[in-house]
Every structure is written in C-alpha cells, then in structure tokens.
Amino acid sequence: MNADGPVLVAIMGPTGSGKSALAEALAERLDAQLVNADAFQVYIGLDIGTNKPQIRGDYRLLDLKAADQSYGVGEYVLDVAAVLAEKFAAGRSVVVVGGTGLYIRALFEEYTDLLGSPDQGLRDELSSLSLPEMLERLDAIASTHDLDRSNRRRVQRALERALQPTVPISFSIPGFRKAKFGIHTPVETLDVQLAIRTERLLRSGWIEEVEGLLKAGLSPQFASFKAIGYAEISRFLDGAFSFEELLDQVQLQTRQYAKRQRAWMRSEPNLIPLHRDSPTPPTVSEIESMLQQIGR
C-alpha cells in the first residue's frame, strides 16, 4: 500500500456513525498513525461525554489541554502539521478521525487565513471579566457593529483580537497522497443508536464526570463545556430539571449535532462516500474497498 509513498486519510461522519472503529481498522491495515480531529477530545477530563477512544495511546492529539483553556482550529492545524511532518519523514501513513469537520477541512485544504491563538494569560484575564466589563473595554478600542453583543464567547474573541492581534498561521502538508471518506448511515437507524448511547453514557459515569469537573473549579462558561451535554448536566446537578428532562435535552442536542455534521459533509470537497447500513464494526471487505479507492 505504501509503495507510492505514505497516505493521509480522513474519516468523517456524524456522531455515533462508527468513525473510530473504521479508522482504527484502516490504521491497523496501513500501519498508520491515528490522529484525533475532535475539538473536545483535546480536553483532559472530558472523557465519557466526548466518547474518547478506549486505547488512547494509539492516538495523537488527545488530552492536549486543561479543561479551563481554549483551543481552536489554528492551534490544531499547527499541532497536526508537526505530527504529519514527523510521520512523513518516517514513511508512515496517517489516519485522521473526528467529528469536527472544520478541523479536517482546514487541514486538507491548507487554509491560509487562520489566526494564531492569543496568549493564555490574556485569555485567563478576560475570562474573569463580566460580559458588560468586556464590552466596555472592547467599545473603547474597536468597532462592534457586526458583533453579537449578547454572545460572551464572541465578545471575548473580538476583545482578544483587538488587544493582541495575531498574524495568519502558515503551515503545509508533506507530500502524502490524500483521501477523505465520509460515512453515510440511514438517519432513522442512527437516531435510534444515538438515543441508546446517550442514555448509556448518562447512566455509566458521565454525570459523575461533570460533577468532578465542577468540583475542580471549572465553570460552564469555559469553552470545553460547549461539548454536548456538559452544560446541561451541570444544570441538572443544580436541580434545574429531572433526569428524564436531561435525557431528552441531550438526546435532542445529539440528533441536531449529527444533522449539522451531515450538512457539513454535503459541502466537503473531494469526499468519498461510504454508505453503511448501521454503525457496526467494519468488515474486511469494507477495509479492502477503502484501500482500493485510496490506491486509485
């Protein structure tokens, strides 16, 4: 398979569609390095709710950040570019897998308009301010006519950029042969599987995981708590609603997220569709078919 050089493969698909199992089987067949492309699996301590791989040592770019820190696409492409340079020099293929479509697209299409992250100290300082305080500082130094002034996260990002402008990120991908695969599973089938998985996660430690994060001093205002379910579980722990209401909310959010991921894939350039009846473990014939398409 590597006779013509190493390959860089991406596995995309809606949450719960079996991306990880497929990527792991393909990586084993290629003797490839697995690389995470999930925006929330980079956070230490967000394990159950983000459905982190069981064998984390097989992956790169997991558990990179404390849950009170920020991480974005600019930082991601620089981190993954370093891994790609290392593996290409060793003649080894790479399989990138995750549900954050922007991360994969920015990497494969080599986006040139990404900005670097501001200093973490500045982010920590601004995170301690109230929304009105941030708006007051922002209005003194920049125009905000196109800004959603009720969105704390966007206001903070605008203030970060105004206080500490960053230069565009520059990165490049080594000479891998590239292929992107997108999993397509019947919506009704996937919705049933997602409902089952969400209840299983909530009953098997996810609530306790969030409780531990909150006791460690984390807040739902942190970027890591934008992951599905984390803010809702924190409200449940405050007594805002019952377990059944929590389950309904998280199941709905999960279905909506899968819908957004399917919409994203419809506009993904050069995506090879993989039609699967259910998110079951991949068969040998499926992997062989993928290898043939990579070879072409």
Side-chain angles (χ1 to χ4, degrees), residues 15 40 45-51 194-214 224-234 236-237 243 246-247 249-251 253-254:
T15 183
F40 295 104
L46 274 70
D47 302 329
I48 297 173
T50 64
N51 209 31
L194 290 175
I196 294 170
R197 186 185 75 172
T198 298
E199 183 166 5
R200 175 175 55 80
L201 294 178
L202 287 171
R203 294 188 184 278
S204 60
W206 190 3
I207 293 173
E208 290 76 13
E209 176 175 283
V210 176
E211 188 174 26
L213 292 170
L214 294 171
S224 58
F225 268 69
K226 300 296 182 184
I228 285 175
Y230 282 82
E232 287 66 36
I233 293 174
S234 69
F236 164 75
L237 290 168
F243 178 84
L246 170 66
L247 178 60
Q249 286 195 27
V250 179
Q251 286 177 338
Q253 280 193 350
T254 305

Side-chain angles (χ1 to χ4, degrees), residues 21-58:
L22 191 66
E24 288 167 7
L26 182 63
E28 183 177 8
R29 182 68 173 77
L30 289 170
D31 186 30
Q33 172 67 61
L34 287 157
V35 175
N36 167 52
D38 183 289
F40 295 104
Q41 289 184 357
V42 302
Y43 290 111
I44 299 167
L46 274 70
D47 302 329
I48 297 173
T50 64
N51 209 31
K52 274 185 190 165
Q54 292 185 347
I55 308 176
R56 298 183 200 176
D58 291 347

Side-chain angles (χ1 to χ4, degrees), residues 29 45 51 80 83 107 119 126 139 144 161-162 215 263 283:
R29 182 68 173 77
N51 209 31
V80 74
V83 175
L107 174 66
D119 177 74
L126 296 181
D139 288 338
T144 61
R161 288 192 294 270
K215 286 181 178 178
T283 64

Side-chain angles (χ1 to χ4, degrees), residues 27-184:
E28 183 177 8
R29 182 68 173 77
L30 289 170
D31 186 30
Q33 172 67 61
L34 287 157
V35 175
N36 167 52
D38 183 289
F40 295 104
Q41 289 184 357
V42 302
Y43 290 111
I44 299 167
L46 274 70
D47 302 329
I48 297 173
T50 64
N51 209 31
K52 274 185 190 165
Q54 292 185 347
I55 308 176
R56 298 183 200 176
D58 291 347
Y59 284 77
R60 298 286 292 272
L61 306 191
L62 291 174
D63 297 326
L64 296 178
K65 292 283 186 177
D68 61 351
Q69 296 180 316
S70 297
Y71 189 80
V73 61
E75 210 168 344
Y76 175 78
V77 294
L78 292 179
D79 286 341
V80 74
V83 175
L84 295 182
E86 172 191 329
K87 298 306 172 184
F88 188 79
R92 193 174 178 197
S93 296
V94 174
V95 176
V96 179
V97 56
T100 305
L102 177 59
Y103 281 15
I104 291 176
R105 185 180 296 179
L107 174 66
F108 271 67
E109 305 306 315
E110 298 186 58
Y111 279 8
T112 59
D113 57 350
L114 300 172
L115 297 176
S117 299
D119 177 74
Q120 187 62 44
L122 175 62
R123 283 195 161 162
D124 292 342
E125 175 192 345
L126 296 181
S127 295
S128 68
L129 300 178
S130 67
L131 178 58
E133 288 172 330
M134 284 195 289
L135 284 168
E136 183 179 359
R137 290 186 64 177
L138 183 60
D139 288 338
I141 57 177
S143 170
T144 61
H145 64 278
D146 291 328
L147 180 67
D148 179 357
R149 295 172 64 88
S150 65
N151 188 314
R152 179 186 174 88
R153 190 178 182 189
R154 292 184 180 178
V155 170
Q156 180 169 336
R157 294 295 177 270
L159 186 53
E160 287 172 353
R161 288 192 294 270
L163 291 172
Q164 195 178 82
T166 55
V167 297
I169 282 172
S170 176
F171 76 100
S172 62
I173 296 178
F176 289 97
R177 291 178 293 127
K178 296 188 291 186
K180 280 187 286 189
F181 292 92
I183 299 174
H184 296 268

